[in-house]
Amino acid sequence: MAKLLSCVLGPRLYKIYRERDSERAPSSVPGTPTSVTNPHSSSWDTYYQPRALEKHADSILALASVFWSISYYSSPFAFFYLYRKGYLSLSKVVPFSHYAGTLLLLLAGVACLRGIGRWTNPQYRQFITILEATHRNHSAENKRQLANYNFDFRSWPVDFHWEEPSSRKESRGGPSRRGVALLRPEPLHRGTADTFLNRVKKLPCQITSYLVAHTLGRRMLYPGSVYLLQKALMPVLLQGQARLVEECHGRRAKLLACDGNEIDTMFVDRRGTAEPQGQKLVICCEGNAGFYEVGCVSTPLEAGYSVLGWNHPGFAGSTGVPFPQNEANAMSYPDISAVILDASFDDLVPLALKVMPDSWRGLVTRTVRQHLNLNNAEQLCRYQGPVLLIRRTRDEIITTTVPEDIMSNRGNDLLLKFLQHRYPRVMAEEGLRVVRQWLEASSQLEEASIYSRWEVEEDWCLSVLRSYQAEHGPEFPWSVGEDMSADGRRQLALFLAQKHLNNFEATHCTPLPAQNFQMPWHL
């Protein structure tokens, strides 16, 4: 009877993976049915095949879930319509609540029927036995057996916790219970005081910004968090997970962040291969509509690196909602050797203003700054290590005019702000002007022409930078170029721009080829 209840309340099972020959071992989970064929034999090497009762019950519950999602998103309009028609009176609401209660009872009955269908299926019974054993005893053998199943990630046990000694870095500026420091409060204008009266005056605007950010804004900024989109992409995501596990020997794990969100990750370990790149781990952060199952992890994998992919909060198996603070809590990496930013931008405000009505300028700016502040340039300037930016010359997402206008690509602004922070003397008037000319070049030939016009001597630039580093240390910002001629600053500015930015002739979502994935330049 206990097993039947576990089948009723258990997670949905999607696939049983092939087990690698090196990992084949007899089952050590007590209670596993001995009469069941090994789940990794060829007959089980496919998507999990539910029995008819479970299959039809799952379809009904999935349809109900979709209808609930549609109702949730349309609820403000529905309530407004019902109010206008007078249907929100007590005499109308009571019968409606009876209908809703009856529907919930029917759905509960369907869930019980699904549980009976699972209970009659030896594949699911073996899976639920292994899952329960892993929750009781988080041993390596139980985790190894559980990793051979792909199921609803909400039931996956937590593998790593932010409070563990290996991950806790509070003494070095890492996460605490309050979260990672990310967003700074909006500065007050000179001569104004944050009095009670000013707070009351701002309250309507703050409430409006909050409502916009938590309804329309968040879903526009992170379309991958929309449930209906995830539902439509589910088959593709399952195929991507199967490829990472079966072909790339990936290991899935759940990380518990300091804010309580559970983060879905996939680790591919190449340290045991003959390729030297396998000794370096590449942590892949997907775009605002991307998932690690089908995202940018394929590029470093193809290049031979070890890879850690993860999904944003609210994406696929990760819980929570993808606000910038939650993102920071999930991805605090205190020890990284380099940063590569592909098709990235400096600030969200100009891109948000591009797609919203001009009359909303004040509301959009305030909402972004207070709730959705993807301040990439500010965050990048805090980093002291090597950096490489990849600019896509036909990017249609992060340009503020048209893709053909390469100077409207916000990747240019990211590079300029980054260089101005690290080398403020070099990026004075002359250096800034010549780098803008170089960024405006529409082809590699034109870039080379500008580079050669100013007769950039790379050996001289390297010697200047190395001499400064030897004398003053590696900490940025540098005051190199302070006593340099205008021509010298131009040369050094072009040299630094060329070392920190690579062009890729493609649109925003085109996969980056492995040959374009290079480690950043450093002295």
Side-chain angles (χ1 to χ4, degrees):
M1 197 63 188
K3 188 65 65 180
L4 176 59
L5 182 61
S6 297
C7 291
V8 172
L9 302 178
R12 186 174 181 182
L13 179 59
Y14 298 116
K15 185 175 173 64
I16 303 172
Y17 294 125
R18 293 193 299 262
E19 184 174 19
R20 297 180 285 278
D21 292 336
S22 60
E23 292 187 356
R24 291 188 185 275
S27 173
S28 64
V29 177
T32 301
T34 55
S35 60
V36 176
T37 307
N38 189 304
H40 314 291
S41 63
S42 59
S43 62
W44 286 37
D45 179 23
T46 180
Y47 286 101
Y48 166 68
Q49 299 296 329
R51 299 281 173 90
L53 185 59
E54 179 187 356
K55 181 179 180 180
H56 295 313
D58 249 336
S59 300
I60 294 173
L61 293 174
L63 187 62
S65 177
V66 171
F67 280 141
W68 169 256
S69 182
I70 295 173
S71 302
Y72 174 79
Y73 290 126
S74 60
S75 59
F77 306 102
F79 275 113
F80 180 73
Y81 175 80
L82 293 173
Y83 175 77
R84 291 293 301 271
K85 294 294 184 179
Y87 293 141
L88 294 183
S89 61
L90 187 61
S91 60
K92 301 289 180 63
V93 171
V94 172
F96 176 78
S97 64
H98 293 163
Y99 298 144
T102 303
L103 180 61
L104 289 176
L105 287 175
L106 289 174
L107 291 177
V110 172
C112 292
L113 291 175
R114 181 180 65 176
I116 294 173
R118 290 171 172 176
W119 184 63
T120 61
N121 191 326
Q123 292 178 321
Y124 193 90
R125 288 209 314 275
Q126 178 162 358
F127 156 70
I128 202 68
T129 300
I130 294 173
L131 178 62
E132 290 177 337
T134 307
H135 277 288
R136 289 192 302 268
N137 180 11
H138 212 50
S139 66
E141 175 61 20
N142 287 348
K143 290 169 63 177
R144 183 193 67 79
Q145 293 193 53
L146 188 65
N148 293 315
Y149 296 91
N150 187 356
F151 56 96
D152 190 336
F153 200 64
R154 288 173 294 185
S155 298
W156 191 285
V158 174
D159 296 287
F160 300 98
H161 196 282
W162 74 278
E163 287 184 319
E164 291 178 6
S166 60
S167 62
R168 195 171 185 179
K169 307 287 183 179
E170 285 189 67
S171 61
R172 301 168 59 184
S176 68
R177 289 192 182 276
R178 296 182 300 275
V180 177
L182 173 67
L183 302 178
R184 299 182 302 178
E186 189 176 1
L188 293 173
H189 296 292
R190 181 174 296 181
T192 62
D194 192 19
T195 63
F196 177 75
L197 184 59
N198 282 333
R199 291 182 182 180
V200 171
K201 290 179 179 178
K202 293 178 182 177
L203 189 59
C205 296
Q206 291 176 345
I207 293 175
T208 304
S209 295
Y210 179 88
L211 292 175
V212 170
H214 286 76
T215 53
L216 180 65
R218 192 253 296 176
R219 290 169 177 82
M220 288 184 65
L221 181 58
Y222 293 99
S225 66
V226 176
Y227 172 77
L228 294 177
L229 177 62
Q230 294 186 30
K231 197 74 175 176
L233 290 176
M234 181 61 73
V236 179
L237 299 182
L238 293 177
Q239 290 176 6
Q241 283 182 5
R243 182 184 66 86
L244 290 171
V245 171
E246 295 177 341
E247 299 179 16
C248 302
H249 300 232
R251 295 203 296 269
R252 201 177 185 189
K254 178 183 284 188
L255 280 61
L256 186 65
C258 58
D259 54 10
N261 286 335
E262 298 173 346
I263 306 303
D264 181 6
T265 69
M266 181 69 72
F267 175 49
V268 179
D269 190 355
R270 295 278 182 80
R271 287 175 293 183
T273 64
E275 300 183 63
Q277 299 96 321
Q279 302 303 313
K280 186 176 288 292
L281 175 65
V282 177
I283 303 174
C284 295
C285 303
E286 301 295 337
N288 293 5
F291 303 83
Y292 74 71
E293 293 89 341
V294 291
C296 63
V297 298
S298 59
T299 297
L301 280 177
E302 189 179 343
Y305 291 92
S306 295
V307 170
L308 174 64
W310 63 283
N311 279 327
H312 299 279
F315 282 52
S318 297
T319 63
V321 289
F323 282 103
Q325 186 62 65
N326 296 344
E327 299 267 276
N329 295 339
M331 62 175 187
S332 177
Y333 313 130
D335 301 312
I336 53 177
S337 60
V339 168
I340 302 173
L341 292 176
D342 179 16
S344 191
F345 55 89
D346 63 320
D347 188 11
L348 181 61
V349 170
L351 298 174
L353 292 174
K354 177 186 74 169
V355 298
M356 301 303 289
D358 192 60
S359 58
W360 291 24
R361 175 177 292 271
L363 174 63
V364 170
T365 303
R366 183 167 52 251
T367 301
V368 169
R369 289 285 179 250
Q370 292 181 354
H371 303 283
L372 303 169
N373 196 16
L374 295 183
N375 48 356
N376 294 341
E378 181 183 341
Q379 297 298 320
L380 184 62
C381 289
R382 298 180 184 180
Y383 177 64
Q384 292 286 323
V387 172
L388 175 65
L389 307 180
I390 299 175
R391 180 180 67 167
R392 290 162 181 258
T393 56
R394 299 197 304 273
D395 200 311
E396 73 282 13
I397 302 297
I398 63 169
T399 50
T400 53
T401 56
V402 293
E404 292 75 21
D405 181 11
I406 197 169
M407 281 309 290
S408 72
N409 188 312
R410 297 303 298 189
N412 302 329
D413 301 86
L414 181 59
L415 175 69
L416 293 174
K417 291 177 181 178
F418 170 74
L419 293 179
Q420 285 176 312
H421 169 77
R422 288 199 169 186
Y423 312 99
R425 301 293 186 273
V426 173
M427 293 299 293
E429 185 177 350
E430 302 88 357
L432 184 62
R433 187 183 303 114
V434 75
V435 171
R436 285 187 181 277
Q437 292 176 5
W438 180 76
L439 289 171
E440 199 172 356
S442 58
S443 65
Q444 291 184 350
L445 184 62
E446 192 173 344
E447 284 181 14
S449 174
I450 296 173
Y451 203 73
S452 61
R453 185 196 311 165
W454 295 105
E455 300 177 348
V456 178
E457 299 179 19
E458 296 196 354
D459 292 338
W460 174 80
C461 293
L462 282 172
S463 65
V464 169
L465 295 172
R466 285 171 178 162
S467 298
Y468 182 92
Q469 185 184 52
E471 184 177 351
H472 299 90
E475 193 78 12
F476 294 104
W478 288 5
S479 59
V480 62
E482 194 170 18
D483 301 321
M484 193 177 292
S485 66
D487 185 63
R489 284 197 293 269
R490 291 190 191 97
Q491 287 193 50
L492 204 53
L494 276 175
F495 174 79
L496 290 168
Q498 190 260 348
K499 291 296 184 181
H500 287 93
L501 184 138
N502 288 347
N503 280 326
F504 177 41
E505 300 286 336
T507 56
H508 187 81
C509 295
T510 303
L512 185 72
Q515 61 268 24
N516 290 69
F517 185 81
Q518 305 166 359
M519 287 296 110
W521 168 83
H522 62 91
L523 285 174

